[in-house]
Amino acid sequence: MEPSCMRYHVCGFGSRMIWLCFFLVLVLQSCSPALSDSPYLVGMGSYDITGPAADVNMMGYANAEQIASGIHFRLKARAFIVAEPNGKRVVFVNLDACMASQLVTIKVLERLKTRYGDLYNENNVAISGIHTHAGPGGYLQYVVYIVTSLGFVRQSFDVIVNGIEQCIVEAHNNLRPGKIYVNKGELLDAGVNRSPSAYLNNPAEERSKYQYNVDKEMTLIKFVDDELGPVGSFNWFATHGTSMSRTNSLISGDNKGAAARFMEDWAEQNGMPKQGAHVTNVGLEYLHKISGLPRRISSIIPEPNEITDDLVQLASSYEASGGRRLSGSSITRRIRSSQQNKPKFVSAFCQSNCGDVSPNVLGTFCIDTGLPCDFNHSTCNGKNELCYGRGPGYPDEFESTRIIGNRQFLKALDLFNSASEEIQGRVDYRHTYLDFSQLEVNVPSSTGGEQVVKTCPAAMGFAFAAGTTDGPGAFDFKQGDVKGNPFWRLVRNLLKTPGKEQVECQAPKPILLDTGEMKEPYDWAPAILPIQIIRIGQMVILCVPGEFTTMAGRRLRDAVKEVLTSDSSGEFNDIHVVLAGLTNTYSQYITTFEEYQIQRYEGASTLYGPHTLSAYIQEFQKLATAMVANKEVRTNFQPPDMLDKQMGLLPGVMFDSTPPGVKFGDVSSDVPASSTFSKGSTVNATFYSACPRNDLLTDGTFALVEKLDGNNNWVPAYDDDDWSLRFKWSRPAKLSPRSFATLEWTIPEDAPSGVYRLRHFGASKPLFGSIKHFTGTSRAFAVR
């Protein structure tokens, strides 16, 4: 621009042209990403992935009786994209789901290729799960992971694939110049080791390097838009998504999903991203100390007012509306969906090496005696079914979820507010596929040299069936079993008898299910797995397709860091290495060689034998070496796409019905007439409803609390994504076409006084014809 300006001046255009050129330079500097001082383009996105809230088995505990029947709060996919303005870019997606799925990843990448060509691909896209055990199952492609869900559930699969695609699209469209900061700190009271006897089998010298037997460090990255200010944060911290128990039936993001909501609520309350207002820290105490039930504070809620007898009388004048038809589902959009055009703050609480880490921090106890469980086997009088871990809110699992979620939120908030180390440097990535069923691995030999060993086809040990103290198994299985049981061997042999080579390869694991060699009706377990490294400046993310135990994760991080920091250029000095668990696909657990010998649940679930961790370390070091040398990594494998082979035995919804003279949306059990409720109390109403599988109401809501405003209009206040409002669905009998929806609202301490009512949305399926949407409201009531 400057030479042009000088030319105009010489030619006699005068000072006005000089000032015009100067103005254009300023405009270009403020608008062009290429001219920005910020080293990156940053984009954030999120989208609803709440699956079917009825009839579908939940993924995680492998409990066939844990069937979804409502919503605690909604599930989301959250994404960030970081790009160098003229260079590489990476995508990281965090799912409020139990784990990533290879089939989901394949189909998401296909959609991204259709939209963007080769811009986003398997090399630079990572998809990770938070490991909630309270989300709908049936979305993985391997048989062993969909047995309890009666096979493949297309509805679960589709909503996750679509949600991931949409959150990436949103992040892509939001790419703007910005900066990234990193911070880390200790969180001491959100996880304990649930297999301490296995951890103690690691070398004493190694254990002495660490103060705790689980990782207590949280690492957070903070995204700051040049104009909008802070737009999000992602953090990695290891603790299981098992605050909600194996008997819970409400869809929930568990403690990490809760933490994400608390952080996003806090950001919205503090005006992030900026909407022209100054951002402060006011609101933290308002959300979490005054109220034991954090919630989103909607801007449409008027200021608190004094409750008067006139308002009580006003409430009594509004009876239940009765059910009525709706023209479609668009009216069911959630409160936050009404603000789609505004920038939104995206916060994700990602999973790390959580394999042996439980959020049930009070310890493990026998439910019959109240005494501590056996240390080595986690049994009570020899029975694993009686040994349970206790969360900090015991016996209330919802309270335990809130507390562990809140602890992660508060630590993340502290790291977010104090983050000062700016991330700088290249964006890079490496990715490859490996056949873990027969991978040759160099390991130290007993003579001090090296020997070549191999991983094994996948197999699960007897202790797998014992479950964990977060969710015990059944029958007479127990953790720490290295012998097996003759009866269960006979049962096993009906499915597949493992050969001598497999038995020796997996030793000392006694094989219960030889899943890697079971191929009917299609593959029971994966063999081809992805491994991936993502780099953003001094931030390095190791993307692993399973659950590493604490010590296994430490060894992998240290091994990769050693390779990266050996670079003489100093480019990788002061790097931060985090492990992102359950990413891109799922292959169960990874223990150390020493932990594997003990054969607790995690060792029995380490699929590829005792050298699995050594294989990961070897192959990740190869990726790291290629990254340092700026060389590409070739792969000779591709995971199978078995979508066409999937079978689902879950029957569809035949039809919905109501008693004669009753409409869908009519109230079955109403709020008492002329009632007044105080803060902290619970209000509920039950409606004649229909199966939630008829329409998932994605980005919508089944439940709403409405408040009467000063103009006698009902405005939405809380929806089924709020912590305080629960949507519970039930049938009077298992195969009944009739069903009920109960809306249960625990009134937050910070709820404005006034007149409220409960509203239910749903969709019914007739025996013939198309699905019809409906709604209905309860009687109004006053809140003091």
Side-chain angles (χ1 to χ4, degrees), residues 299-355:
S299 59
I300 62 177
I301 298 298
E303 290 297 313
N305 48 47
E306 293 296 324
I307 193 74
T308 64
D309 290 340
D310 290 341
L311 283 178
V312 176
Q313 186 175 356
L314 178 62
S316 66
S317 68
Y318 287 91
E319 292 294 324
S321 66
R324 62 182 178 88
R325 289 267 183 91
L326 295 173
S327 58
S329 63
S330 61
I331 197 172
T332 70
R333 289 182 308 165
R334 298 196 312 276
I335 298 169
R336 190 171 281 172
S337 301
S338 66
Q339 303 172 10
Q340 289 288 341
N341 294 327
K342 297 181 180 179
K344 61 186 177 185
F345 187 94
V346 177
S347 179
F349 285 68
C350 310
Q351 196 53 269
S352 191
N353 52 322
C354 68

Side-chain angles (χ1 to χ4, degrees), residues 191-207:
V192 295
N193 197 304
R194 69 185 188 187
S195 288
S197 60
Y199 180 89
L200 286 173
N201 206 45
N202 291 307
E205 182 181 0
E206 181 181 36
R207 287 186 281 112

Side-chain angles (χ1 to χ4, degrees), residues 557-622:
R557 289 197 306 260
D558 289 347
V560 171
K561 190 171 185 177
E562 182 180 2
V563 171
L564 294 177
T565 54
S566 66
D567 177 34
S568 59
S569 69
E571 183 182 355
F572 292 91
N573 291 350
D574 303 319
I575 58 172
H576 304 274
V577 181
V578 298
L579 189 149
L582 306 118
T583 301
N584 293 327
T585 189
Y586 184 61
S587 60
Q588 291 171 256
Y589 285 74
I590 301 91
T591 65
T592 67
F593 178 86
E594 294 83 359
E595 291 166 348
Y596 186 91
Q597 308 307 307
I598 302 301
Q599 281 297 295
R600 283 182 62 89
Y601 175 83
E602 294 81 14
S605 304
T606 296
L607 295 184
Y608 307 103
H611 303 294
T612 300
L613 175 59
S614 296
Y616 274 102
I617 291 174
Q618 171 182 285
E619 299 303 319
F620 264 99
Q621 284 182 318
K622 291 179 182 179

Side-chain angles (χ1 to χ4, degrees), residues 283-497:
L284 173 62
E285 182 175 352
Y286 184 55
L287 270 175
H288 290 275
K289 292 187 178 177
I290 295 177
S291 172
L293 298 164
R295 62 166 296 258
R296 180 171 67 257
I297 306 296
S298 173
S299 59
I300 62 177
I301 298 298
E303 290 297 313
N305 48 47
E306 293 296 324
I307 193 74
T308 64
D309 290 340
D310 290 341
L311 283 178
V312 176
Q313 186 175 356
L314 178 62
S316 66
S317 68
Y318 287 91
E319 292 294 324
S321 66
R324 62 182 178 88
R325 289 267 183 91
L326 295 173
S327 58
S329 63
S330 61
I331 197 172
T332 70
R333 289 182 308 165
R334 298 196 312 276
I335 298 169
R336 190 171 281 172
S337 301
S338 66
Q339 303 172 10
Q340 289 288 341
N341 294 327
K342 297 181 180 179
K344 61 186 177 185
F345 187 94
V346 177
S347 179
F349 285 68
C350 310
Q351 196 53 269
S352 191
N353 52 322
C354 68
D356 53 359
V357 188
S358 170
N360 297 312
V361 296
L362 297 187
T364 59
F365 298 89
C366 300
I367 59 175
D368 56 344
T369 65
L371 297 174
C373 303
D374 171 76
F375 181 78
N376 289 319
H377 302 289
S378 297
T379 56
C380 301
N381 295 320
K383 296 182 178 180
N384 71 81
E385 302 99 310
L386 302 177
C387 177
Y388 279 87
R390 292 181 181 176
Y394 174 83
D396 185 343
E397 63 190 293
F398 293 95
E399 181 64 4
S400 290
T401 300
R402 186 195 68 80
I403 292 172
I404 297 297
N406 194 51
R407 288 173 180 174
Q408 291 179 77
F409 157 67
L410 292 175
K411 172 50 65 175
L413 183 61
D414 173 56
L415 297 176
F416 181 87
N417 285 331
S418 60
S420 59
E421 179 185 341
E422 185 176 350
I423 289 180
Q424 296 178 323
R426 290 192 299 156
V427 172
D428 206 356
Y429 44 82
R430 293 294 184 277
H431 174 285
T432 193
Y433 290 108
L434 300 163
D435 184 352
F436 265 79
S437 70
Q438 51 182 355
L439 191 62
E440 291 189 347
V441 187
N442 293 305
V443 299
S445 67
S446 58
T447 60
E450 280 196 345
Q451 61 177 330
V452 177
V453 296
K454 293 181 72 172
T455 56
C456 325
M460 290 149 58
F462 274 66
F464 160 79
T468 72
T469 55
D470 292 333
F475 305 109
D476 54 351
F477 296 100
K478 65 179 180 180
Q479 297 195 67
D481 183 357
V482 295
K483 296 181 179 179
N485 175 294
F487 171 77
W488 289 110
R489 279 196 174 90
L490 289 173
V491 175
R492 171 201 67 190
N493 293 343
L494 295 175
L495 294 171
K496 176 71 171 68
T497 303

Side-chain angles (χ1 to χ4, degrees), residues 111 139 152-163:
R111 292 192 182 191
Y139 64 92
F152 190 69
V153 181
R154 188 64 190 242
Q155 206 171 29
S156 292
F157 173 80
D158 284 342
V159 73
I160 294 175
V161 171
N162 184 64

